[in-house]
Amino acid sequence: MYNLKFASTYDFAVMRENNIKAVTEDYYATTRNLFCVADGVTRDLIDGTSLKYPSTKEEAQAVIEKYPNPSGATLASTICATSFIKYASSIDKVSEDSVLEVLKKINNDIGEINKSRTNIDYVKEDLYGCVAVGGIITDDYLYCFSIGDCRIKLLDDNFNTTFDTENLNHNLLPYEEPKEFIDLYKDEWKWENPKYREYYRKNIRNNVQRFENGEYSFGVLTGEETALPFVKISKVPLTNVKYILAYSDGCEECLDSKEKIISIIANPEQIKNEAHEKTLLIFEKD
């Protein structure tokens, strides 16, 4: 049996250190053998400009003043994590197909929220969405899903990685700038340009044709059916697996080596010192 050893979400370090209440967009949910970590996709500021991650108290205060609150990213991640637990709890026979059906329902739930919105412009009013990982722990297998840059990592008694969802994200090809927009905007082709963000979100995100052609694309649960081909489903043997880790991308740097992993498992609360918002779950076999 696997027991939940640690579960926590931490805001941006600069906000926590300066007692500034952040808009938390990670969300996780767990039961005895189910878990999900969801990371809401960052919104533009309410004035339509792009977010620049703060590094000082003054920058953090300025961000909070202009960041959407409540945030649609928070809503999407909350729906994803809570719905995964709800739907996965109702599965009669666990299989890769049944996990995919759960993801279809989750994506539809997020889509219902976006369908009710009439002002989508892919900039200030982008689709609400999230990336996520989740799993069902059985006696012999972990049935899990992954979309985007949240990750699941399995470790043996010696902290060697036996499985990592990073290996499944074949869609995360090296980023390429769309040639037609390079020619059009040249030096203005950057994230701060709202036309860039609009094009990126409307034409590159959840673009199955680009994905199938081997071009850069990525998946986000937005309610669009085209998000589903980016969902990776796995059935992973739990033989010799001691730890199951699930985390959002804010934990990447503190879990990118065996030495760091050993340190984090011994003292997981130290992840709060990482700069960005982050969520970490650790299950340990008894």
Side-chain angles (χ1 to χ4, degrees), residues 26-45:
D26 279 10
Y27 197 88
Y28 71 87
T30 66
T31 65
R32 183 186 62 82
N33 70 320
L34 307 174
F35 65 88
C36 183
V37 172
D39 181 357
V41 175
T42 302
R43 312 291 301 165
D44 284 352
L45 304 182

Side-chain angles (χ1 to χ4, degrees), residues 48-284:
T49 58
S50 61
L51 172 69
K52 294 181 180 179
Y53 291 110
S55 58
T56 67
K57 178 180 179 180
E58 293 72 24
E59 290 174 349
Q61 290 172 327
V63 165
I64 291 302
E65 289 174 1
K66 293 185 177 181
Y67 200 79
N69 189 9
S71 166
T74 302
L75 178 59
S77 62
T78 302
I79 289 172
C80 179
T82 57
S83 294
F84 180 80
I85 300 300
K86 177 176 71 174
Y87 296 135
S89 297
S90 302
I91 293 176
D92 291 327
K93 184 177 180 180
V94 181
S95 67
E96 292 162 279
D97 288 341
S98 64
V99 174
L100 180 57
E101 289 304 311
V102 166
L103 266 293
K104 291 179 181 179
K105 292 178 182 179
I106 292 171
N107 193 48
N108 184 66
D109 287 351
I110 295 172
E112 289 301 312
I113 300 297
N114 282 320
K115 286 177 184 178
S116 68
R117 302 169 60 223
T118 59
N119 57 347
I120 304 298
D121 63 5
Y122 297 95
V123 185
K124 178 181 174 182
E125 295 295 340
D126 188 22
L127 295 171
Y128 298 161
C130 70
V131 294
V133 290
I136 304 172
I137 305 169
T138 68
D139 290 339
D140 299 312
Y141 295 95
L142 171 67
Y143 293 83
C144 62
F145 80 89
S146 168
I147 180 168
D149 54 10
C150 291
R151 289 172 68 175
I152 293 172
K153 192 186 295 285
L154 306 186
L155 309 171
D156 64 17
D157 287 333
N158 296 314
F159 304 99
N160 298 308
T161 299
T162 63
F163 173 82
D164 189 336
T165 52
E166 181 188 41
N167 297 327
L168 303 178
N169 287 331
H170 301 305
N171 54 305
L172 297 180
L173 299 171
Y175 181 72
E176 62 182 34
E177 304 284 8
K179 184 178 185 304
E180 65 272 27
F181 266 65
I182 294 175
D183 294 341
L184 184 62
Y185 291 104
K186 296 181 172 61
D187 292 342
E188 295 180 8
W189 182 244
K190 53 187 177 181
W191 190 249
E192 289 77 10
N193 183 344
K195 291 185 175 69
Y196 179 116
R197 302 197 300 279
E198 179 186 1
Y199 183 88
Y200 186 87
R201 294 162 176 167
K202 185 186 292 186
N203 298 289
I204 297 179
R205 179 179 65 195
N206 292 338
N207 187 322
V208 178
Q209 184 174 351
R210 288 181 64 89
F211 172 60
E212 291 176 345
N213 290 341
E215 298 175 287
Y216 177 80
S217 185
F218 63 100
V220 174
L221 296 173
T222 58
E224 298 165 297
E225 288 187 12
T226 50
L228 294 173
F230 294 90
V231 175
K232 307 299 180 183
I233 308 291
S234 300
K235 176 184 177 183
V236 189
L238 290 173
T239 307
N240 300 323
V241 173
K242 177 68 173 179
Y243 298 99
I244 300 172
L245 279 58
Y247 52 96
S248 62
D249 65 329
C251 292
E252 285 282 358
E253 290 188 8
C254 59
L255 293 170
D256 63 4
S257 71
K258 183 175 180 179
E259 292 73 19
K260 291 180 182 178
I261 289 171
I262 292 172
S263 177
I264 292 297
I265 289 178
N267 179 21
E269 289 191 3
Q270 64 184 292
I271 67 166
K272 66 185 179 183
N273 299 319
E274 294 296 314
H276 296 298
E277 182 179 358
K278 74 287 295 179
T279 296
L280 173 64
L281 309 182
I282 302 176
F283 288 86
E284 182 177 9

Side-chain angles (χ1 to χ4, degrees), residues 11-22:
D11 292 323
F12 288 91
V14 66
M15 294 187 179
R16 188 190 69 256
E17 292 164 358
N18 290 286
N19 295 316
I20 299 171
K21 184 172 176 56

